[in-house]
Amino acid sequence: MTHPTKVLAIVTNYGVEQDELLVPVRHLRENGVHVDIAAPHRDDIRTLVSDKDPGETVRPTHTLDEIEPSGYDLLLIPGGTVNADNLRLRQEAVALVLAFTTSGRPVAAICHGPWMLAEAGVAYGKRLTSYPSLRTDLANAGATWADESLVTDDANGWRLLTSRNPDDLDDFLRGIDSALSARAGAAA
């Protein structure tokens, strides 16, 4: 018997780009996927639009330190400059990235989210994309940066899906759906 598909989104309580969190979460939930959102604190998550305008408020389902990562099929790392810069300073968030990548489970990161890959030391040897301002950071971390709406890379034993910004969300969602389907097919 297969378990229900579960996705974990990791964010901070302030500054995540609204659509990079809410569009994938809503899409996945509408398609029967269980999605948990983990943040450092139980306080509401204040999203932003274009890094500056107040967005929707979201309640986290867990704190980062409560998560047992082995029960999830995919890790979602939304962007937002403030969110991504603060998230990479959270050791429990870095540990979650390492738990997914070392176990071969997929990671989907968009916009500034790929900063977490550099922080966790797992960008080396990967082909990826991000918000353009991260290009040098990711190249310095050993990744090959591409200016494409979706980059999928299976190097180093785990699948990485990356997109540049909210304009790429349609392709990003197709990539996530494909990764979850492949994972479900392998488990069947």
Side-chain angles (χ1 to χ4, degrees):
M1 176 182 217
T2 61
H3 68 84
T5 303
K6 291 179 72 176
V7 169
L8 175 63
I10 57 172
V11 298
T12 57
N13 292 87
Y14 178 81
V16 64
E17 184 67 29
Q18 173 183 277
D19 287 353
E20 293 171 4
L21 173 62
L22 297 183
V23 170
V25 166
R26 289 176 180 149
H27 168 82
L28 291 164
R29 287 179 175 164
E30 287 168 2
N31 287 287
V33 175
H34 178 93
V35 182
D36 284 327
I37 303 170
H41 309 287
R42 288 213 170 264
D43 304 332
D44 285 347
I45 297 162
R46 167 54 71 190
T47 70
L48 294 178
V49 177
S50 300
D51 272 339
K52 62 185 183 320
D53 298 321
E56 293 182 42
T57 299
V58 182
R59 169 98 27 217
T61 53
H62 298 285
T63 59
L64 291 168
D65 60 0
E66 292 173 337
I67 293 296
E68 171 45 57
S70 64
Y72 294 92
D73 298 290
L74 181 139
L75 179 63
L76 172 64
I77 310 172
T81 309
V82 173
N83 171 67
D85 196 39
N86 288 315
L87 191 63
R88 65 190 181 136
L89 297 176
R90 307 292 308 204
Q91 191 52 48
E92 60 271 37
V94 173
L96 288 168
V97 172
L98 290 171
F100 275 82
T101 59
T102 59
S103 66
R105 287 173 289 153
V107 174
I110 186 167
C111 199
H112 286 80
W115 251 345
M116 283 298 299
L117 307 171
E119 192 64 37
V122 297
Y124 187 85
K126 293 299 240 185
R127 184 174 180 274
L128 51 71
T129 195
S130 67
Y131 193 77
S133 65
L134 273 63
R135 181 181 187 156
T136 300
D137 292 344
L138 292 166
N140 287 340
T144 301
W145 193 87
D147 186 11
E148 298 170 19
S149 64
L150 174 69
V151 176
T152 302
D153 188 284
D154 291 322
N156 306 331
W158 58 280
R159 176 165 288 182
L160 174 62
L161 309 142
T162 51
S163 288
R164 301 169 296 195
N165 59 55
D167 293 338
D168 296 339
L169 277 166
D170 287 344
D171 290 339
F172 190 61
L173 295 177
R174 276 193 289 279
I176 290 171
D177 290 345
S178 175
L180 290 173
S181 293
R183 187 159 165 74

Short mmCIF file of all heavy atoms in Angstrom, two decimals, residues 97-164:
data_model
loop_
_atom_site.label_atom_id
_atom_site.label_comp_id
_atom_site.label_asym_id
_atom_site.label_seq_id
_atom_site.Cartn_x
_atom_site.Cartn_y
_atom_site.Cartn_z
N VAL A 97 16.96 20.45 4.18
CA VAL A 97 17.46 20.34 2.80
C VAL A 97 18.39 19.14 2.70
O VAL A 97 18.28 18.32 1.77
CB VAL A 97 18.17 21.63 2.36
CG1 VAL A 97 18.86 21.44 1.02
CG2 VAL A 97 17.18 22.79 2.30
N LEU A 98 19.29 18.99 3.65
CA LEU A 98 20.22 17.85 3.63
C LEU A 98 19.49 16.52 3.76
O LEU A 98 19.87 15.54 3.12
CB LEU A 98 21.26 18.01 4.74
CG LEU A 98 22.27 19.13 4.51
CD1 LEU A 98 23.12 19.35 5.75
CD2 LEU A 98 23.15 18.83 3.30
N ALA A 99 18.45 16.47 4.57
CA ALA A 99 17.68 15.23 4.74
C ALA A 99 17.05 14.79 3.41
O ALA A 99 17.04 13.61 3.08
CB ALA A 99 16.61 15.40 5.81
N PHE A 100 16.53 15.75 2.65
CA PHE A 100 15.92 15.41 1.37
C PHE A 100 16.98 14.99 0.35
O PHE A 100 16.83 13.99 -0.34
CB PHE A 100 15.10 16.58 0.83
CG PHE A 100 13.71 16.63 1.38
CD1 PHE A 100 13.46 17.18 2.62
CD2 PHE A 100 12.64 16.10 0.66
CE1 PHE A 100 12.18 17.21 3.15
CE2 PHE A 100 11.36 16.12 1.18
CZ PHE A 100 11.12 16.68 2.43
N THR A 101 18.04 15.77 0.22
CA THR A 101 19.02 15.50 -0.83
C THR A 101 19.82 14.23 -0.56
O THR A 101 20.08 13.47 -1.49
CB THR A 101 19.97 16.70 -1.02
OG1 THR A 101 20.66 16.98 0.20
CG2 THR A 101 19.19 17.93 -1.46
N THR A 102 20.18 13.97 0.69
CA THR A 102 20.96 12.76 0.98
C THR A 102 20.12 11.50 0.84
O THR A 102 20.66 10.42 0.61
CB THR A 102 21.60 12.81 2.37
OG1 THR A 102 20.57 12.96 3.36
CG2 THR A 102 22.61 13.94 2.48
N SER A 103 18.79 11.63 0.94
CA SER A 103 17.92 10.46 0.78
C SER A 103 17.40 10.32 -0.65
O SER A 103 16.61 9.42 -0.93
CB SER A 103 16.75 10.55 1.76
OG SER A 103 15.91 11.65 1.41
N GLY A 104 17.80 11.23 -1.53
CA GLY A 104 17.42 11.13 -2.94
C GLY A 104 16.04 11.62 -3.28
O GLY A 104 15.53 11.35 -4.37
N ARG A 105 15.43 12.39 -2.38
CA ARG A 105 14.09 12.92 -2.66
C ARG A 105 14.19 14.29 -3.33
O ARG A 105 15.11 15.05 -3.08
CB ARG A 105 13.27 13.02 -1.36
CG ARG A 105 12.85 11.62 -0.89
CD ARG A 105 12.20 11.66 0.46
NE ARG A 105 13.23 11.95 1.44
CZ ARG A 105 13.00 12.55 2.60
NH1 ARG A 105 11.79 12.93 2.93
NH2 ARG A 105 13.98 12.77 3.46
N PRO A 106 13.21 14.62 -4.17
CA PRO A 106 13.29 15.86 -4.94
C PRO A 106 13.11 17.13 -4.11
O PRO A 106 12.42 17.14 -3.09
CB PRO A 106 12.16 15.72 -5.96
CG PRO A 106 11.25 14.68 -5.44
CD PRO A 106 12.05 13.81 -4.53
N VAL A 107 13.75 18.18 -4.62
CA VAL A 107 13.66 19.52 -4.05
C VAL A 107 13.25 20.46 -5.18
O VAL A 107 13.83 20.41 -6.26
CB VAL A 107 15.01 19.97 -3.45
CG1 VAL A 107 14.95 21.42 -2.99
CG2 VAL A 107 15.44 19.05 -2.31
N ALA A 108 12.25 21.32 -4.89
CA ALA A 108 11.79 22.31 -5.86
C ALA A 108 12.01 23.69 -5.24
O ALA A 108 11.45 23.98 -4.18
CB ALA A 108 10.32 22.10 -6.19
N ALA A 109 12.84 24.51 -5.87
CA ALA A 109 13.18 25.83 -5.34
C ALA A 109 12.98 26.88 -6.42
O ALA A 109 13.37 26.66 -7.57
CB ALA A 109 14.61 25.86 -4.83
N ILE A 110 12.38 28.00 -6.04
CA ILE A 110 12.08 29.04 -7.02
C ILE A 110 12.61 30.39 -6.54
O ILE A 110 12.64 30.67 -5.34
CB ILE A 110 10.55 29.11 -7.30
CG1 ILE A 110 10.23 30.09 -8.43
CG2 ILE A 110 9.76 29.38 -6.04
CD1 ILE A 110 8.81 29.98 -8.98
N CYS A 111 13.04 31.21 -7.49
CA CYS A 111 13.44 32.59 -7.27
C CYS A 111 14.68 32.67 -6.36
O CYS A 111 15.75 32.27 -6.75
CB CYS A 111 12.25 33.38 -6.73
SG CYS A 111 12.39 35.16 -6.91
N HIS A 112 14.53 33.16 -5.14
CA HIS A 112 15.64 33.22 -4.19
C HIS A 112 15.79 31.94 -3.38
O HIS A 112 16.74 31.80 -2.62
CB HIS A 112 15.48 34.43 -3.26
CG HIS A 112 15.76 35.74 -3.92
ND1 HIS A 112 14.84 36.37 -4.73
CD2 HIS A 112 16.86 36.53 -3.91
CE1 HIS A 112 15.36 37.50 -5.18
NE2 HIS A 112 16.59 37.63 -4.70
N GLY A 113 14.84 31.01 -3.52
CA GLY A 113 14.90 29.75 -2.79
C GLY A 113 16.19 28.96 -2.97
O GLY A 113 16.67 28.33 -2.03
N PRO A 114 16.79 28.95 -4.18
CA PRO A 114 18.02 28.18 -4.36
C PRO A 114 19.21 28.63 -3.48
O PRO A 114 20.20 27.90 -3.39
CB PRO A 114 18.33 28.36 -5.85
CG PRO A 114 16.97 28.49 -6.47
CD PRO A 114 16.21 29.34 -5.47
N TRP A 115 19.11 29.79 -2.83
CA TRP A 115 20.16 30.16 -1.86
C TRP A 115 20.34 29.05 -0.82
O TRP A 115 21.43 28.83 -0.33
CB TRP A 115 19.76 31.44 -1.14
CG TRP A 115 20.54 32.66 -1.51
CD1 TRP A 115 21.72 32.73 -2.18
CD2 TRP A 115 20.17 34.02 -1.21
NE1 TRP A 115 22.11 34.05 -2.32
CE2 TRP A 115 21.17 34.85 -1.73
CE3 TRP A 115 19.10 34.59 -0.55
CZ2 TRP A 115 21.14 36.23 -1.60
CZ3 TRP A 115 19.05 35.97 -0.44
CH2 TRP A 115 20.07 36.78 -0.95
N MET A 116 19.24 28.37 -0.48
CA MET A 116 19.31 27.29 0.51
C MET A 116 20.22 26.17 0.03
O MET A 116 20.87 25.51 0.85
CB MET A 116 17.91 26.71 0.79
CG MET A 116 17.05 27.55 1.68
SD MET A 116 17.73 27.79 3.33
CE MET A 116 17.83 26.12 3.93
N LEU A 117 20.28 25.94 -1.27
CA LEU A 117 21.12 24.88 -1.81
C LEU A 117 22.60 25.21 -1.62
O LEU A 117 23.40 24.33 -1.30
CB LEU A 117 20.81 24.66 -3.28
CG LEU A 117 19.33 24.42 -3.60
CD1 LEU A 117 19.11 24.44 -5.10
CD2 LEU A 117 18.83 23.15 -2.97
N ALA A 118 22.94 26.47 -1.83
CA ALA A 118 24.32 26.90 -1.60
C ALA A 118 24.66 26.79 -0.12
O ALA A 118 25.72 26.29 0.25
CB ALA A 118 24.52 28.33 -2.09
N GLU A 119 23.73 27.23 0.74
CA GLU A 119 23.97 27.20 2.18
C GLU A 119 24.15 25.77 2.69
O GLU A 119 24.99 25.51 3.55
CB GLU A 119 22.80 27.87 2.92
CG GLU A 119 23.07 28.16 4.37
CD GLU A 119 24.19 29.18 4.58
OE1 GLU A 119 24.31 30.13 3.79
OE2 GLU A 119 24.95 28.99 5.55
N ALA A 120 23.38 24.84 2.14
CA ALA A 120 23.45 23.44 2.57
C ALA A 120 24.61 22.69 1.90
O ALA A 120 24.87 21.54 2.24
CB ALA A 120 22.13 22.74 2.26
N GLY A 121 25.29 23.34 0.96
CA GLY A 121 26.43 22.70 0.29
C GLY A 121 26.03 21.64 -0.73
O GLY A 121 26.82 20.75 -1.03
N VAL A 122 24.81 21.74 -1.28
CA VAL A 122 24.34 20.71 -2.21
C VAL A 122 24.16 21.23 -3.64
O VAL A 122 23.67 20.50 -4.50
CB VAL A 122 23.03 20.06 -1.71
CG1 VAL A 122 23.26 19.36 -0.38
CG2 VAL A 122 21.90 21.08 -1.60
N ALA A 123 24.57 22.47 -3.90
CA ALA A 123 24.44 23.02 -5.25
C ALA A 123 25.54 22.52 -6.18
O ALA A 123 25.38 22.52 -7.40
CB ALA A 123 24.46 24.55 -5.20
N TYR A 124 26.64 22.05 -5.62
CA TYR A 124 27.80 21.63 -6.42
C TYR A 124 27.40 20.56 -7.44
O TYR A 124 26.77 19.56 -7.11
CB TYR A 124 28.91 21.09 -5.52
CG TYR A 124 30.18 20.82 -6.28
CD1 TYR A 124 31.09 21.85 -6.52
CD2 TYR A 124 30.44 19.57 -6.81
CE1 TYR A 124 32.24 21.62 -7.25
CE2 TYR A 124 31.58 19.32 -7.54
CZ TYR A 124 32.48 20.35 -7.76
OH TYR A 124 33.62 20.12 -8.50
N GLY A 125 27.76 20.80 -8.70
CA GLY A 125 27.50 19.85 -9.76
C GLY A 125 26.10 19.88 -10.33
O GLY A 125 25.78 19.11 -11.24
N LYS A 126 25.26 20.77 -9.82
CA LYS A 126 23.88 20.86 -10.30
C LYS A 126 23.75 21.94 -11.37
O LYS A 126 24.42 22.97 -11.32
CB LYS A 126 22.92 21.21 -9.14
CG LYS A 126 22.79 20.13 -8.09
CD LYS A 126 22.25 18.84 -8.64
CE LYS A 126 20.97 18.42 -8.00
NZ LYS A 126 20.53 17.09 -8.49
N ARG A 127 22.87 21.70 -12.33
CA ARG A 127 22.46 22.72 -13.29
C ARG A 127 21.14 23.25 -12.78
O ARG A 127 20.24 22.48 -12.46
CB ARG A 127 22.30 22.10 -14.67
CG ARG A 127 21.97 23.09 -15.76
CD ARG A 127 21.97 22.42 -17.14
NE ARG A 127 21.66 23.39 -18.16
CZ ARG A 127 20.42 23.73 -18.54
NH1 ARG A 127 19.38 23.17 -17.99
NH2 ARG A 127 20.24 24.64 -19.49
N LEU A 128 21.02 24.58 -12.68
CA LEU A 128 19.84 25.17 -12.05
C LEU A 128 19.60 26.57 -12.54
O LEU A 128 20.38 27.13 -13.30
CB LEU A 128 19.99 25.14 -10.52
CG LEU A 128 21.27 25.71 -9.90
CD1 LEU A 128 21.35 27.22 -10.00
CD2 LEU A 128 21.37 25.29 -8.46
N THR A 129 18.50 27.15 -12.06
CA THR A 129 18.22 28.55 -12.30
C THR A 129 17.73 29.17 -11.00
O THR A 129 17.54 28.47 -10.00
CB THR A 129 17.22 28.77 -13.46
OG1 THR A 129 17.26 30.14 -13.85
CG2 THR A 129 15.81 28.35 -13.07
N SER A 130 17.54 30.48 -11.03
CA SER A 130 17.10 31.22 -9.84
C SER A 130 16.80 32.65 -10.28
O SER A 130 16.93 32.98 -11.46
CB SER A 130 18.24 31.27 -8.80
OG SER A 130 19.33 32.04 -9.31
N TYR A 131 16.47 33.48 -9.31
CA TYR A 131 16.42 34.91 -9.59
C TYR A 131 17.83 35.31 -10.04
O TYR A 131 18.82 34.84 -9.46
CB TYR A 131 15.99 35.68 -8.34
CG TYR A 131 15.63 37.10 -8.65
CD1 TYR A 131 14.40 37.41 -9.24
CD2 TYR A 131 16.51 38.13 -8.36
CE1 TYR A 131 14.08 38.72 -9.55
CE2 TYR A 131 16.19 39.44 -8.67
CZ TYR A 131 14.98 39.73 -9.26
OH TYR A 131 14.66 41.02 -9.57
N PRO A 132 17.97 36.14 -11.08
CA PRO A 132 19.29 36.43 -11.65
C PRO A 132 20.35 36.91 -10.64
O PRO A 132 21.53 36.65 -10.83
CB PRO A 132 19.00 37.48 -12.71
CG PRO A 132 17.59 37.23 -13.11
CD PRO A 132 16.89 36.79 -11.86
N SER A 133 19.95 37.60 -9.58
CA SER A 133 20.96 38.13 -8.65
C SER A 133 21.69 37.04 -7.88
O SER A 133 22.73 37.30 -7.28
CB SER A 133 20.31 39.12 -7.67
OG SER A 133 19.37 38.46 -6.83
N LEU A 134 21.19 35.80 -7.90
CA LEU A 134 21.85 34.70 -7.21
C LEU A 134 22.85 33.97 -8.08
O LEU A 134 23.56 33.07 -7.63
CB LEU A 134 20.81 33.67 -6.72
CG LEU A 134 20.18 33.93 -5.38
CD1 LEU A 134 19.39 35.21 -5.34
CD2 LEU A 134 19.28 32.76 -5.00
N ARG A 135 22.93 34.34 -9.36
CA ARG A 135 23.76 33.62 -10.33
C ARG A 135 25.20 33.43 -9.82
O ARG A 135 25.73 32.32 -9.85
CB ARG A 135 23.76 34.36 -11.65
CG ARG A 135 24.57 33.70 -12.71
CD ARG A 135 24.55 34.48 -14.01
NE ARG A 135 25.21 33.71 -15.04
CZ ARG A 135 24.98 33.85 -16.32
NH1 ARG A 135 24.11 34.74 -16.75
NH2 ARG A 135 25.61 33.11 -17.19
N THR A 136 25.83 34.49 -9.37
CA THR A 136 27.23 34.40 -8.92
C THR A 136 27.35 33.55 -7.67
O THR A 136 28.25 32.71 -7.57
CB THR A 136 27.80 35.81 -8.68
OG1 THR A 136 27.73 36.54 -9.91
CG2 THR A 136 29.24 35.74 -8.21
N ASP A 137 26.43 33.72 -6.71
CA ASP A 137 26.46 32.91 -5.49
C ASP A 137 26.37 31.43 -5.82
O ASP A 137 27.08 30.60 -5.25
CB ASP A 137 25.30 33.28 -4.55
CG ASP A 137 25.43 34.67 -3.97
OD1 ASP A 137 26.54 35.24 -4.02
OD2 ASP A 137 24.42 35.18 -3.47
N LEU A 138 25.46 31.08 -6.72
CA LEU A 138 25.26 29.67 -7.06
C LEU A 138 26.43 29.13 -7.88
O LEU A 138 26.85 27.99 -7.69
CB LEU A 138 23.93 29.49 -7.78
CG LEU A 138 22.73 29.76 -6.85
CD1 LEU A 138 21.45 29.91 -7.65
CD2 LEU A 138 22.60 28.68 -5.79
N ALA A 139 26.98 29.95 -8.77
CA ALA A 139 28.18 29.52 -9.51
C ALA A 139 29.35 29.31 -8.54
O ALA A 139 30.09 28.33 -8.67
CB ALA A 139 28.53 30.55 -10.58
N ASN A 140 29.49 30.20 -7.57
CA ASN A 140 30.56 30.04 -6.58
C ASN A 140 30.36 28.79 -5.72
O ASN A 140 31.32 28.25 -5.16
CB ASN A 140 30.66 31.28 -5.68
CG ASN A 140 31.27 32.46 -6.41
OD1 ASN A 140 31.94 32.31 -7.42
ND2 ASN A 140 31.00 33.65 -5.90
N ALA A 141 29.10 28.33 -5.62
CA ALA A 141 28.80 27.11 -4.87
C ALA A 141 28.95 25.86 -5.74
O ALA A 141 28.67 24.75 -5.29
CB ALA A 141 27.38 27.18 -4.31
N GLY A 142 29.38 26.05 -7.01
CA GLY A 142 29.67 24.92 -7.88
C GLY A 142 28.55 24.51 -8.83
O GLY A 142 28.63 23.48 -9.48
N ALA A 143 27.51 25.33 -8.93
CA ALA A 143 26.39 25.03 -9.82
C ALA A 143 26.61 25.69 -11.18
O ALA A 143 27.39 26.64 -11.31
CB ALA A 143 25.08 25.52 -9.21
N THR A 144 25.91 25.19 -12.18
CA THR A 144 25.87 25.80 -13.50
C THR A 144 24.52 26.47 -13.63
O THR A 144 23.48 25.81 -13.56
CB THR A 144 26.05 24.73 -14.60
OG1 THR A 144 27.30 24.08 -14.40
CG2 THR A 144 26.01 25.37 -15.98
N TRP A 145 24.53 27.79 -13.82
CA TRP A 145 23.30 28.58 -13.84
C TRP A 145 22.79 28.70 -15.27
O TRP A 145 23.56 28.90 -16.21
CB TRP A 145 23.57 29.96 -13.25
CG TRP A 145 22.35 30.75 -12.93
CD1 TRP A 145 21.63 30.70 -11.77
CD2 TRP A 145 21.69 31.70 -13.77
NE1 TRP A 145 20.56 31.57 -11.84
CE2 TRP A 145 20.58 32.19 -13.06
CE3 TRP A 145 21.92 32.17 -15.05
CZ2 TRP A 145 19.70 33.14 -13.58
CZ3 TRP A 145 21.05 33.12 -15.59
CH2 TRP A 145 19.96 33.60 -14.85
N ALA A 146 21.49 28.58 -15.46
CA ALA A 146 20.85 28.71 -16.77
C ALA A 146 19.67 29.67 -16.68
O ALA A 146 18.95 29.67 -15.68
CB ALA A 146 20.38 27.34 -17.26
N ASP A 147 19.48 30.46 -17.70
CA ASP A 147 18.36 31.41 -17.74
C ASP A 147 17.19 30.74 -18.46
O ASP A 147 16.95 30.98 -19.64
CB ASP A 147 18.79 32.69 -18.45
CG ASP A 147 17.73 33.78 -18.40
OD1 ASP A 147 16.74 33.62 -17.65
OD2 ASP A 147 17.88 34.79 -19.10
N GLU A 148 16.48 29.86 -17.75
CA GLU A 148 15.36 29.10 -18.30
C GLU A 148 14.22 29.10 -17.28
O GLU A 148 14.46 29.22 -16.08
CB GLU A 148 15.79 27.66 -18.59
CG GLU A 148 16.89 27.56 -19.64
CD GLU A 148 17.48 26.17 -19.75
OE1 GLU A 148 16.83 25.19 -19.30
OE2 GLU A 148 18.60 26.05 -20.27
N SER A 149 12.98 28.91 -17.77
CA SER A 149 11.83 28.96 -16.88
C SER A 149 11.77 27.77 -15.92
O SER A 149 11.24 27.90 -14.81
CB SER A 149 10.53 29.05 -17.69
OG SER A 149 10.36 27.88 -18.46
N LEU A 150 12.28 26.64 -16.32
CA LEU A 150 12.36 25.46 -15.46
C LEU A 150 13.63 24.70 -15.81
O LEU A 150 13.86 24.40 -16.98
CB LEU A 150 11.15 24.54 -15.65
CG LEU A 150 11.22 23.20 -14.89
CD1 LEU A 150 11.10 23.43 -13.39
CD2 LEU A 150 10.14 22.25 -15.38
N VAL A 151 14.43 24.42 -14.80
CA VAL A 151 15.60 23.57 -15.00
C VAL A 151 15.44 22.37 -14.07
O VAL A 151 15.24 22.53 -12.87
CB VAL A 151 16.92 24.33 -14.69
CG1 VAL A 151 18.11 23.39 -14.82
CG2 VAL A 151 17.07 25.53 -15.62
N THR A 152 15.52 21.18 -14.66
CA THR A 152 15.44 19.94 -13.90
C THR A 152 16.79 19.26 -14.00
O THR A 152 17.35 19.13 -15.09
CB THR A 152 14.34 19.01 -14.47
OG1 THR A 152 13.10 19.70 -14.42
CG2 THR A 152 14.24 17.73 -13.66
N ASP A 153 17.34 18.84 -12.87
CA ASP A 153 18.65 18.21 -12.84
C ASP A 153 18.63 17.03 -11.88
O ASP A 153 18.17 17.15 -10.75
CB ASP A 153 19.71 19.23 -12.40
CG ASP A 153 21.11 18.67 -12.54
OD1 ASP A 153 21.50 17.85 -11.69
OD2 ASP A 153 21.82 19.04 -13.49
N ASP A 154 19.11 15.88 -12.34
CA ASP A 154 19.14 14.67 -11.53
C ASP A 154 20.55 14.29 -11.07
O ASP A 154 20.75 13.18 -10.56
CB ASP A 154 18.53 13.50 -12.32
CG ASP A 154 17.04 13.67 -12.53
OD1 ASP A 154 16.36 14.15 -11.61
OD2 ASP A 154 16.56 13.30 -13.63
N ALA A 155 21.52 15.19 -11.23
CA ALA A 155 22.90 14.88 -10.80
C ALA A 155 22.97 14.63 -9.30
O ALA A 155 22.13 15.10 -8.53
CB ALA A 155 23.82 16.04 -11.19
N ASN A 156 23.95 13.89 -8.90
CA ASN A 156 24.26 13.63 -7.49
C ASN A 156 23.19 12.83 -6.76
O ASN A 156 23.10 12.87 -5.54
CB ASN A 156 24.55 14.93 -6.73
CG ASN A 156 25.64 15.75 -7.40
OD1 ASN A 156 26.52 15.21 -8.05
ND2 ASN A 156 25.56 17.06 -7.27
N GLY A 157 22.34 12.12 -7.51
CA GLY A 157 21.41 11.19 -6.89
C GLY A 157 20.10 11.76 -6.39
O GLY A 157 19.35 11.08 -5.68
N TRP A 158 19.79 13.01 -6.74
CA TRP A 158 18.50 13.60 -6.34
C TRP A 158 18.05 14.61 -7.38
O TRP A 158 18.86 15.24 -8.05
CB TRP A 158 18.57 14.23 -4.94
CG TRP A 158 19.61 15.31 -4.79
CD1 TRP A 158 20.95 15.13 -4.61
CD2 TRP A 158 19.39 16.72 -4.83
NE1 TRP A 158 21.57 16.36 -4.54
CE2 TRP A 158 20.64 17.35 -4.66
CE3 TRP A 158 18.25 17.51 -4.97
CZ2 TRP A 158 20.79 18.73 -4.64
CZ3 TRP A 158 18.40 18.89 -4.96
CH2 TRP A 158 19.66 19.49 -4.78
N ARG A 159 16.72 14.72 -7.52
CA ARG A 159 16.15 15.62 -8.53
C ARG A 159 15.97 17.02 -7.96
O ARG A 159 15.39 17.20 -6.89
CB ARG A 159 14.81 15.09 -9.01
CG ARG A 159 14.14 16.07 -10.00
CD ARG A 159 13.02 15.43 -10.74
NE ARG A 159 13.63 14.51 -11.70
CZ ARG A 159 12.93 13.78 -12.57
NH1 ARG A 159 11.63 13.83 -12.59
NH2 ARG A 159 13.55 12.99 -13.42
N LEU A 160 16.46 18.00 -8.70
CA LEU A 160 16.30 19.40 -8.36
C LEU A 160 15.50 20.07 -9.47
O LEU A 160 15.81 19.93 -10.65
CB LEU A 160 17.66 20.09 -8.23
CG LEU A 160 17.63 21.60 -8.01
CD1 LEU A 160 16.92 21.95 -6.70
CD2 LEU A 160 19.04 22.18 -8.04
N LEU A 161 14.45 20.80 -9.05
CA LEU A 161 13.64 21.59 -9.96
C LEU A 161 13.78 23.05 -9.56
O LEU A 161 13.56 23.37 -8.39
CB LEU A 161 12.17 21.20 -9.85
CG LEU A 161 11.89 19.71 -9.95
CD1 LEU A 161 10.82 19.30 -9.00
CD2 LEU A 161 11.54 19.37 -11.36
N THR A 162 14.15 23.90 -10.48
CA THR A 162 14.30 25.32 -10.15
C THR A 162 13.64 26.18 -11.22
O THR A 162 13.62 25.83 -12.40
CB THR A 162 15.79 25.72 -10.01
OG1 THR A 162 16.51 25.29 -11.18
CG2 THR A 162 16.41 25.12 -8.76
N SER A 163 13.12 27.32 -10.77
CA SER A 163 12.56 28.33 -11.66
C SER A 163 13.00 29.71 -11.19
O SER A 163 13.46 29.87 -10.05
CB SER A 163 11.03 28.24 -11.69
OG SER A 163 10.61 27.08 -12.39
N ARG A 164 12.85 30.71 -12.07
CA ARG A 164 13.44 32.04 -11.82
C ARG A 164 12.59 32.97 -10.97
O ARG A 164 13.13 33.74 -10.18
CB ARG A 164 13.71 32.73 -13.17
CG ARG A 164 14.65 31.97 -14.07
CD ARG A 164 14.67 32.56 -15.45
NE ARG A 164 13.34 32.41 -16.06
CZ ARG A 164 13.08 32.55 -17.34
NH1 ARG A 164 14.04 32.87 -18.18
NH2 ARG A 164 11.85 32.38 -17.81
#
